[in-house]
Amino acid sequence: MDLTKGAADNYHRSWWKRHGVVLDGEIAAVCFKRGNFDLAAKSYEKVCALYAGEGWQDLLAEVLPNLAECQKILNDQAGYLTSIVRLLSLDKGLFSVKERQAFQSEVVSLAHSEMKHPVPLDVSSLITFSGNPGPPLELCDGDPGTLSVTVWSGFPDEITLDSLTLTLMATYNADEGGKAGPADSDDFMSYEKTTRPVLKVSKPRPLVDLSAAISSALLINEAQWIGIIAQPINYSLKGAVMHIDTGPGLKIEESHSIEMETYINAAQISTDMANSGDARKDGNKNFEQLSLLDGKIEFPDWASNVTSILWIPIRAIDDKLARGSSSGAPQKQSIVDGMRTVALKLEFGISNNQIYDQTIALHFTNPFHVSTRVADQCNDGTLLLQVTLHSQVKATLTVNDAWLDLQDGFVHAGQDDGRPVSGFFPLVISPTSRAGLLFRVCLGNGTALDENKAQPESILNISYRIAGDRTIGAHPPVAAKSNEIEGTSQDLIFRSALILQRPVLDPCLAVGFLPLPSDGLRVGQLVTMKWRVERLKDIEESRVPQTNDDVLYEVNANSENWMIAGRKRGHVSLSTKQGSRIFISILCMPLNAGYVHPPHLGLPDIDEANISCSPAGPHLVCVLPPALSSSFCIPA
């Protein structure tokens, strides 16, 4: 016995545990035969722990009854109950019916007896459960679901289960439940069979995507279709509800239904329209008209698993009148002015528990930008005004008519209706291209001085039509249900404000920039800027609203590049007679080296159209760095 115990201990220390357990079984059998039940029980527990861990139920069925007998003789009620329960949990074919009934009778007898010291008993091995057959139930984070669990009870007939509580334990490895205790553990009941996951919860991921169907600008102040692409990402959108909230300056045209159709790419849409004339009539696509109720719409069933596109009739509102520019002033348009936003909230999933929020940015613009320039002056004083129309949309624009309402101080020459000289209508303008109109105007007689009837700006009116595709950008406005006629459209009116300045061909004052010092400009050195102001006409002959000889001047300069040492604004006296002149000088200091804009002299009370710049000031001047100082020199 001593040699066998020593060999078993050496096997265990050298991690040859199976060989050690074999010897433990022989020691347990000898001890059991000799009546040394305490030592026999300890050895049998090691043997049962290995057999249970390896899943060798046949071998376990041979030695486990001996362990139970030892525990019963030793009055180890807790151990005895555990062993009996474990015997009942083994395969039914390992014991006869009478043997199983004997085990059940022992459990019932102990359950009905009054134990001096009640002990906790793990009976989980008598309960067998399984989840859904096949792969585990898959749910996304936040989704409710139903998990079916089948439970078999291995208790004797006299014992019933009053209640059963199931707890789902998170596992990150399918084999995690199969980890047994150490092989030399005395608690062979700690072993559990490998658990198969019954529920799989997907990691948080995008379930749907909402995006705008177009990227180019739409017409402002006109009813336009905006496309919203709804793309499910391996997730059903059955019963989905979309809430639509328009931002400031935007409203939904409720007079027309919202359209929803299966989404296909732009190339396929063009092919469908070429073949059938209307993509909505394609039999391979789903199409449905939806109604907006309380700011939300419900998705049809066919849109649950396919990418679809929603066409929402919408109007961007801008009360400001479009303003043109002169050829000398470049076009400066801010994209922010035409931006609008639509807030979308999609509720989907089981019981609509999934929520996806997205804000879509849209760009709206006017169909044209207008620029003007005086092309020529005729011998009779007539001016040829060239108006250039710049297309700002990806659509074909057809101008059917145009007329110009002139501001005070100008009148039409030859035609009183304000139409252009050339009557080449209709005028077709391709996307992002431009076209020109020519008007004949001449100066009015003193009407600019009538403040009660003054019209400060001219208005250009354009009657046009647009031919575009809503899948690309700007397109014909959405027609209301009562006025919707297939294949018909009405002319649209675009209005733009133009400020016409009196041409410098007939100036009243001349402002000349006098040459700079020959030694150049340097940072930190004072320099005198000089201008000459000369009257070209007597004040009686000019139309300049000036009643005395005081002229208001103002010097403008970038404060980052120049420091003004004199008065930047003031009055000077200039005689009302032709040929009279004055000089205005100001002391300033350059602050930065490089090519910078010089200070500019302006006459705020006199229209720029009445001022001739002769000689004109330089656009940029060169400022040299400050002279080197020896106190800052570092020897090499």
Side-chain angles (χ1 to χ4, degrees):
M1 288 292 292
D2 291 338
L3 289 175
T4 305
K5 290 179 182 179
D9 293 339
N10 288 332
Y11 276 131
H12 284 294
R13 282 193 294 268
S14 62
W15 293 92
W16 287 33
K17 297 184 181 300
R18 291 187 179 181
H19 294 75
V21 168
V22 172
L23 296 180
D24 285 332
E26 295 180 1
I27 294 172
V30 173
C31 292
F32 182 77
K33 185 176 181 180
R34 293 181 177 181
N36 191 352
F37 300 109
D38 187 23
L39 185 57
K42 293 181 179 179
S43 298
Y44 276 134
E45 287 176 352
K46 293 182 180 180
V47 176
C48 291
L50 175 67
Y51 291 169
E54 297 292 343
W56 298 338
Q57 292 199 9
D58 293 347
L59 298 177
L60 186 61
E62 294 180 1
V63 296
L64 189 55
N66 295 336
L67 174 60
E69 186 66 22
C70 292
Q71 292 168 335
K72 182 178 182 181
I73 296 174
L74 295 173
N75 199 25
D76 182 7
Q77 292 182 334
Y80 181 59
L81 271 176
T82 301
S83 298
I84 295 299
V85 170
R86 186 61 177 171
L87 286 169
L88 289 173
S89 65
L90 297 178
D91 292 340
K92 295 182 179 180
L94 296 176
F95 300 101
S96 63
V97 177
K98 290 184 178 181
E99 288 176 328
R100 294 189 62 85
Q101 290 177 351
F103 298 152
Q104 293 177 359
S105 299
E106 289 294 321
V107 176
V108 174
S109 175
L110 290 173
H112 285 259
S113 65
E114 295 182 1
M115 303 176 64
K116 294 181 179 180
H117 303 287
V119 294
L121 180 63
D122 183 7
V123 295
S124 59
S125 60
L126 294 180
I127 302 175
T128 307
F129 72 91
S130 69
N132 297 324
L137 176 65
E138 292 192 21
L139 294 177
C140 290
D141 186 22
D143 274 0
T146 302
L147 177 64
S148 299
V149 178
T150 305
V151 179
W152 292 271
S153 172
F155 284 97
D157 297 337
E158 291 81 358
I159 298 179
T160 59
L161 297 177
D162 292 335
S163 63
L164 186 66
T165 301
L166 298 181
T167 303
L168 290 176
M169 304 296 293
T171 176
Y172 301 97
N173 185 358
D175 297 329
E176 185 174 322
K179 295 180 180 179
D184 56 352
S185 173
D186 293 339
D187 185 10
F188 70 92
M189 294 296 294
S190 63
Y191 172 78
E192 296 180 0
K193 294 181 179 180
T194 302
T195 57
R196 184 183 68 83
V198 295
L199 174 64
K200 182 179 179 181
V201 180
S202 301
K203 294 181 180 180
R205 65 173 181 85
L207 304 178
V208 68
D209 181 60
L210 300 177
S211 60
I214 57 175
S215 57
S216 61
L218 300 169
L219 282 182
I220 202 165
N221 289 325
E222 300 290 348
Q224 297 279 276
W225 293 104
I226 64 168
I228 305 297
I229 300 174
Q231 179 184 6
I233 306 176
N234 296 327
Y235 198 88
S236 176
L237 297 183
K238 186 175 182 180
V241 177
M242 177 181 286
H243 297 258
I244 306 173
D245 183 17
T246 56
L250 202 63
K251 70 174 184 177
I252 297 178
E253 293 289 318
E254 298 184 0
S255 60
H256 199 284
S257 300
I258 295 176
E259 297 180 358
M260 190 172 189
E261 61 185 4
T262 305
Y263 174 74
I264 52 178
N265 55 37
Q268 185 63 36
I269 290 178
S270 301
T271 303
D272 292 342
M273 295 189 68
N275 294 335
S276 62
D278 189 350
R280 291 176 293 181
K281 297 177 181 178
D282 188 357
N284 297 326
K285 293 179 58 178
N286 295 296
F287 176 81
E288 192 162 342
Q289 290 187 333
L290 308 175
S291 298
L292 184 70
L293 299 176
D294 299 329
K296 60 183 180 182
I297 57 174
E298 295 184 2
F299 278 31
D301 291 341
W302 59 262
S304 59
N305 294 310
V306 298
T307 302
S308 57
I309 182 169
L310 282 159
W311 292 107
I312 305 174
I314 210 164
R315 183 190 298 266
I317 302 173
D318 187 4
D319 296 332
K320 295 183 296 183
L321 186 64
R323 308 194 68 83
S325 62
S326 62
S327 58
Q331 176 182 354
K332 295 182 179 179
Q333 281 191 320
S334 174
I335 298 180
V336 178
D337 295 338
M339 294 301 294
R340 301 292 189 271
T341 58
V342 177
L344 305 174
K345 182 174 76 171
L346 186 64
E347 298 176 349
F348 59 102
I350 303 175
S351 303
N352 285 351
N353 63 301
Q354 299 285 357
I355 296 179
Y356 179 78
D357 294 311
Q358 179 71 291
T359 300
I360 303 295
L362 303 169
H363 182 211
F364 293 85
T365 185
N366 290 308
F368 307 98
H369 175 74
V370 180
S371 62
T372 61
R373 76 179 186 94
V374 176
D376 196 6
Q377 183 181 28
C378 302
N379 295 331
D380 58 354
T382 302
L383 303 176
L384 297 181
L385 179 65
Q386 178 179 317
V387 176
T388 304
L389 305 179
H390 304 262
S391 173
Q392 299 191 113
V393 294
K394 290 185 178 181
T396 300
L397 300 170
T398 303
V399 178
N400 294 322
D401 195 6
W403 63 97
L404 182 63
D405 298 328
L406 291 173
Q407 65 196 64
D408 290 330
F410 294 87
V411 294
H412 291 284
Q415 298 181 5
D416 295 335
D417 57 359
R419 261 62 180 182
V421 176
S422 58
F424 300 109
F425 293 124
L427 179 62
V428 179
I429 306 177
S430 302
T432 64
S433 62
R434 58 184 179 177
L437 301 173
L438 196 62
F439 293 88
R440 293 177 59 192
V441 298
C442 59
L443 301 179
N445 297 321
T447 55
L449 302 178
D450 190 353
E451 297 181 357
N452 295 327
K453 299 181 180 180
Q455 181 179 337
E457 54 192 14
S458 301
I459 303 296
L460 176 65
N461 304 273
I462 300 176
S463 176
Y464 72 100
R465 292 188 180 187
I466 182 172
D469 190 348
R470 68 179 182 180
T471 61
I472 299 176
H475 52 275
V478 180
K481 288 184 177 179
S482 58
N483 299 327
E484 187 174 7
I485 301 176
E486 192 71 24
T488 63
S489 60
Q490 297 180 351
D491 282 7
L492 306 176
I493 301 297
F494 170 72
R495 304 172 74 240
S496 178
L498 305 175
I499 298 181
L500 304 181
Q501 297 180 347
R502 295 174 62 87
V504 187
L505 301 173
D506 190 20
C508 300
L509 293 174
V511 177
F513 184 85
L514 300 184
L516 293 171
S518 59
D519 55 351
L521 304 176
R522 283 191 179 271
V523 173
Q525 294 183 357
L526 291 174
V527 64
T528 301
M529 296 284 184
K530 295 183 179 180
W531 293 269
R532 181 186 69 243
V533 180
E534 181 179 359
R535 191 178 298 281
L536 302 179
K537 289 184 178 182
D538 292 340
I539 194 171
E540 292 82 3
E541 300 177 4
S542 66
R543 294 185 176 89
V544 180
Q546 183 179 349
T547 58
N548 52 40
D549 55 359
D550 286 341
V551 176
L552 176 65
Y553 74 91
E554 182 177 24
V555 177
N556 297 314
N558 189 338
S559 60
E560 296 181 357
N561 297 327
W562 300 92
M563 183 182 71
I564 306 298
R567 293 184 59 185
K568 295 190 294 183
R569 185 181 176 94
H571 288 84
V572 293
S573 178
L574 179 63
S575 174
T576 59
K577 297 300 182 180
Q578 180 180 2
S580 58
R581 64 176 60 181
I582 57 171
F583 294 90
I584 299 175
S585 62
I586 190 168
L587 200 62
C588 57
M589 178 188 296
L591 301 178
N592 291 317
Y595 289 91
V596 297
H597 295 283
H600 171 71
L601 177 68
L603 306 178
D605 287 348
I606 301 177
D607 196 334
E608 292 183 0
N610 298 312
I611 302 175
S612 172
C613 296
S614 178
H619 182 63
L620 295 173
V621 295
C622 179
V623 179
L624 300 176
L628 294 177
S629 175
S630 61
S631 60
F632 293 100
C633 293
I634 301 175

